[in-house]
Amino acid sequence: MSLKLINNPFFVTLQDLGRFSYAHIGVTNSGVMDEYAYFIANKLLGNSLDTNILEIGCSNVIFKVNKNTKISITGAFCEFYINDELKQTWQSFEVKKNDIIKIGKILSGNWIYLTVSGGFLIDKEFGSNSLTIKENLGGINGSRLKKADILLFNKSKKFNKTFLKKEFIPKYEDEIILRVLLSYQYENFSKQELKKFFSSTYMVTKDFNRMGYKLEGNPIKCNISGIISEGIAFGSIQIPSDGQPIILLKERQTIGGYPKIGTVLNIDCFKLSQARVNTKIRFQEITYVEALEKTRNFYSSCSLLNNLSKISLDS
């Protein structure tokens, strides 16, 4: 029982929530870039919220189904076909032996998520299936998926079609606000530079990947040119010598020596991950108490979804 990749796509990886507690030996967290889309994909199939998934960051990906199963697809809006029939995303589907699944052009966003009922039968490394490319860790043989790779899965239960109500499907807009918790070396930035940072509009550049997104706009100056390398949190905003912010994401390095003005709220990093080149970015300061409340509410709502909440899913 499996899916077989029948072409050679540019960027498809196996991911889950990532691996934790190994940064001290240089192993990054990795994990899905957009946790909201990931959670919904699993909820649509009744999977546990930590079930592994395919993260697709390119067009033209083709799979052949070797055994009947259920699939779901969320994330970036794309041309999605089953046997050449165009389908809508953010819902579940029943697929049968010899069916062909195709991801065509990506229309909005960056990362597409596709999984099967129960997830794929892949051994974990350091407690996770997530591929970390630069470490060749996780996934299948520590690499991106390639032509002829086979993804095994267990037989699925009775199929009930589910889909996410339209009001809960995100819109990947061309201008987003990222909430920031001042931290790290913010005291080494003058009041004028902090004001500039929060009043300026930046643009997502072509220099982005799973490690981080580099922005372009008003350069920010720091009173220090560098620091002794230290641990880096998810969402850290580095300010290198050119003054252009770099926001570090799931496959970031574990330590770094650039000054950091603050940290983007983790749940806003999921929005950032779907931002395409030239998306406008503005920053908004948030307090620790606000950040904690927003994060708790997000993960609480995801937990409710897993308990068959009828708030957002239809069958």
Side-chain angles (χ1 to χ4, degrees), residues 78-91:
C78 63
E79 296 172 339
F80 171 61
Y81 302 89
I82 299 177
N83 298 328
D84 293 324
E85 183 178 343
L86 187 64
K87 302 289 186 179
Q88 296 294 314
T89 57
W90 294 88
Q91 55 188 278

Side-chain angles (χ1 to χ4, degrees), residues 279-312:
T279 298
K280 296 178 181 178
I281 305 292
R282 293 181 62 86
F283 296 105
Q284 181 183 90
E285 187 177 354
I286 189 172
T287 67
Y288 173 78
V289 173
E290 290 172 323
L292 194 60
E293 179 184 9
K294 298 295 183 184
T295 302
R296 282 175 173 170
N297 288 343
F298 173 82
Y299 286 103
S300 176
S301 67
C302 291
S303 178
L304 287 173
L305 284 174
N306 201 40
N307 290 328
L308 299 180
S309 168
K310 294 299 181 182
I311 295 172
S312 58

Side-chain angles (χ1 to χ4, degrees), residues 154-165:
N154 286 320
K155 182 178 180 180
S156 61
K157 300 177 183 178
K158 183 180 177 180
F159 177 69
N160 291 312
K161 185 171 182 61
T162 54
F163 60 94
L164 192 64
K165 290 182 179 179

Side-chain angles (χ1 to χ4, degrees), residues 24-197:
H24 66 290
I25 57 172
V27 177
T28 191
N29 293 153
S30 198
V32 292
M33 292 286 280
D34 181 354
E35 289 189 17
Y36 180 75
Y38 165 76
F39 287 141
I40 297 299
N42 278 317
K43 170 56 194 165
L44 286 166
L45 295 178
N47 293 341
S48 64
L49 291 184
D50 59 352
T51 301
N52 60 30
I53 201 165
L54 294 178
E55 183 175 80
I56 301 169
C58 62
S59 301
N60 192 30
V61 183
I62 306 173
F63 297 95
K64 181 179 179 182
V65 180
N66 290 330
K67 192 71 174 180
N68 298 3
T69 190
K70 299 179 290 184
I71 66 170
S72 65
I73 182 167
T74 63
F77 294 93
C78 63
E79 296 172 339
F80 171 61
Y81 302 89
I82 299 177
N83 298 328
D84 293 324
E85 183 178 343
L86 187 64
K87 302 289 186 179
Q88 296 294 314
T89 57
W90 294 88
Q91 55 188 278
S92 65
F93 299 90
E94 186 173 26
V95 291
K96 298 180 180 180
K97 184 178 180 180
N98 295 324
D99 280 354
I100 300 296
I101 299 168
K102 180 179 179 180
I103 306 295
K105 184 179 180 181
I106 297 178
L107 306 173
S108 176
N110 294 315
W111 307 99
I112 300 163
Y113 294 92
L114 187 150
T115 194
V116 300
S117 178
F120 300 106
L121 302 177
I122 307 292
D123 290 337
K124 294 183 178 182
E125 294 185 89
F126 291 93
S128 172
N129 289 135
S130 288
L131 173 68
T132 303
I133 295 169
K134 64 180 183 295
E135 296 164 1
N136 298 122
L137 183 66
I140 298 177
N141 299 320
S143 66
R144 306 176 207 178
L145 266 65
K146 58 187 182 299
K147 185 176 181 179
D149 276 345
I150 292 176
L151 297 155
L152 300 175
F153 51 80
N154 286 320
K155 182 178 180 180
S156 61
K157 300 177 183 178
K158 183 180 177 180
F159 177 69
N160 291 312
K161 185 171 182 61
T162 54
F163 60 94
L164 192 64
K165 290 182 179 179
K166 289 183 178 179
E167 59 264 37
F168 293 95
I169 298 176
K171 295 179 176 64
Y172 302 129
E173 301 173 342
D174 57 10
E175 184 169 353
I176 60 176
I177 295 175
L178 301 178
R179 292 163 290 187
V180 174
L181 186 67
L182 287 177
S183 57
Y184 286 111
Q185 291 81 39
Y186 85 92
E187 293 178 342
N188 292 300
F189 294 86
S190 69
K191 290 182 180 180
Q192 290 79 11
E193 293 301 308
L194 288 171
K195 183 177 179 180
K196 184 200 299 185
F197 176 75

Side-chain angles (χ1 to χ4, degrees), residues 240-259:
S241 57
D242 65 2
Q244 302 298 332
I246 301 171
I247 303 174
L248 297 171
L249 299 175
K250 287 299 185 75
E251 210 163 305
R252 65 196 178 278
Q253 69 273 33
T254 55
I255 60 173
Y258 287 132

